Amino acid sequence: MPTVANTPIKICSRASLLIGGDAIQSFEDGTAEASVSSAMYEDMARSALTNTRWRFATDQAILARLTEAPTGRWSAAYQLPAELIMLSAITVNEVPIKYDMYGSKIYCNEPDSAELVADYVYRADESTWPPYFVTAVEYMMAGVLAVSVARDASLASLMEQKAEYQMRQARRLHSQQTTTRKLNTSRFIAERRS
């Protein structure tokens, strides 16, 4: 059986069903479930995406240096990617650098020749979300709907507990998808010898 791509409507509809509500056909279908979902879903999705450094929602970009230098404290300005929702790191030759973020720009003291690379979280499309993450977001939305639509505090509490559990499970499963990093012990060995 082929899987059907997830969409905001499908995720919110399943969240509504979790609390005993009605399925949602669109964010404009006139139901309380649709109204609350329309108002809250994007914030909840972005919150979940910035909860952890999810690899499915992480990217890198070489930053473009801007011609106009910052007013003070920093010598260079770089433009951040438009799709960025959370910055994870700025590196030069894979070494983290000191910087400040001002709006959609990075200010730093790197020379013209430096190539700045940004690691960042972006708003990944629901069709790319892994099942463990989708389930966590569905329970997060169910918690919102339980408060706003069902007006049931105990149900909301249960959904929030399930959301927290699912998010922990999602982080655990997600962590298994990357190469285990080896601890660099050479610095410790050098310190011990001196």
Side-chain angles (χ1 to χ4, degrees), residues 45-101:
R46 286 174 176 261
S47 174
L49 286 166
T50 57
N51 183 293
T52 292
R53 194 169 171 188
W54 307 106
R55 295 293 176 194
F56 65 87
T58 301
D59 203 356
Q60 290 184 323
I62 296 172
L63 301 183
R65 188 178 179 112
L66 302 173
T67 54
E68 190 174 325
T71 304
R73 291 189 298 282
W74 301 104
S75 62
Y78 290 81
Q79 185 63 52
L80 287 167
E83 69 272 12
L84 175 142
I85 57 173
M86 188 178 83
L87 184 62
S88 301
I90 299 289
T91 58
V92 173
N93 295 324
E94 298 186 25
V95 176
I97 65 164
K98 290 184 180 181
Y99 67 88
D100 270 331
M101 185 172 165

Side-chain angles (χ1 to χ4, degrees), residues 66-178:
L66 302 173
T67 54
E68 190 174 325
T71 304
R73 291 189 298 282
W74 301 104
S75 62
Y78 290 81
Q79 185 63 52
L80 287 167
E83 69 272 12
L84 175 142
I85 57 173
M86 188 178 83
L87 184 62
S88 301
I90 299 289
T91 58
V92 173
N93 295 324
E94 298 186 25
V95 176
I97 65 164
K98 290 184 180 181
Y99 67 88
D100 270 331
M101 185 172 165
Y102 288 83
S104 64
K105 297 175 183 68
I106 289 296
Y107 290 179
C108 65
N109 289 325
E110 294 298 314
D112 290 351
S113 60
E115 184 175 82
L116 272 67
V117 176
D119 286 58
Y120 62 93
V121 175
Y122 66 94
R123 174 58 171 89
D125 187 82
E126 286 80 0
S127 64
T128 66
W129 293 2
Y132 52 79
F133 185 76
V134 171
T135 303
V137 174
E138 287 171 353
Y139 277 108
M140 288 173 69
M141 279 305 299
V144 169
L145 291 166
V147 169
S148 302
V149 177
R151 301 197 187 280
D152 186 334
S154 62
L155 179 59
S157 178
L158 175 64
M159 291 298 122
E160 288 166 7
Q161 289 172 13
K162 288 188 170 288
E164 288 173 19
Y165 172 78
Q166 289 298 328
M167 197 56 78
R168 281 193 307 273
Q169 289 295 94
R171 283 192 293 271
R172 183 185 62 77
L173 291 168
H174 190 72
S175 70
Q176 296 173 11
Q177 296 183 37
T178 59

